[in-house]
Amino acid sequence: MPPNPPPNCPLCALPPADILWEDARCCVIRVADAFHPGLCRVVWREHVAEMTDLLPADRHHLFAVVMATEAALRAQLRPDKINLASFGNMVPHLHWHVIPRYRDDRHFPEAVWGAAQREGAVHAPADPVALARAIDNALAEH
């Protein structure tokens, strides 16, 4: 049984304006990060901490949305690499980071949470409407 959500979980009550794409089980939010525009989080709506807290069908759905978000970001932004991460150490609410990476970004080849390697180029983010549409299209193809 998943734990009860803490009253201060920032992912349990996302402002609607932050949501790029959603369905009944999860949502995709764009993260405001000047150094890594396009960074998204795929957030499971129910407050659980681990993938194994989900039923197999829900795990499959969540991962399909992560893959659709990756595909949409690749199509819209043409990054050199996509990083996927699910930690939950700071916010133990199940979510995945989907991070477009460029060889000239501030942290490459290190993780975006690591030490900066250079000043880094700033890349334009994807258009939110086009990105949401691309996520829908990628899920439809799945």
Side-chain angles (χ1 to χ4, degrees), residues 12-91:
C12 281
L14 291 168
D18 291 350
I19 298 173
L20 175 68
W21 178 95
E22 65 184 322
D23 69 9
R25 294 187 274 181
C26 59
C27 64
V28 178
I29 60 172
R30 286 194 324 160
V31 177
D33 185 324
F35 296 112
H36 302 287
L39 191 157
C40 291
R41 283 191 196 112
V42 180
V43 180
W44 190 252
R45 289 196 181 275
E46 181 184 3
H47 186 88
V48 298
E50 309 297 345
M51 288 290 289
T52 53
D53 289 334
L54 302 179
L55 296 172
D58 289 335
R59 282 183 229 148
H60 178 76
H61 178 72
L62 177 57
F63 210 67
V65 174
V66 171
M67 294 295 96
T69 303
E70 176 183 313
L73 286 167
R74 289 183 72 195
Q76 296 292 308
L77 299 178
R78 305 276 187 227
D80 296 313
K81 181 74 177 91
I82 294 279
N83 291 170
L84 300 175
S86 180
F87 300 112
N89 299 336
M90 300 293 288
V91 180

Side-chain angles (χ1 to χ4, degrees), residues 76-126:
Q76 296 292 308
L77 299 178
R78 305 276 187 227
D80 296 313
K81 181 74 177 91
I82 294 279
N83 291 170
L84 300 175
S86 180
F87 300 112
N89 299 336
M90 300 293 288
V91 180
H93 181 129
L94 183 57
H95 64 285
W96 283 82
H97 302 265
V98 184
I99 311 162
R101 298 299 306 276
Y102 301 90
R103 283 179 172 66
D104 61 357
D105 77 34
R106 185 175 184 179
H107 295 93
F108 198 88
E110 300 296 325
V112 297
W113 298 282
Q117 304 297 301
R118 67 192 66 74
E119 186 65 30
V122 175
H123 295 267

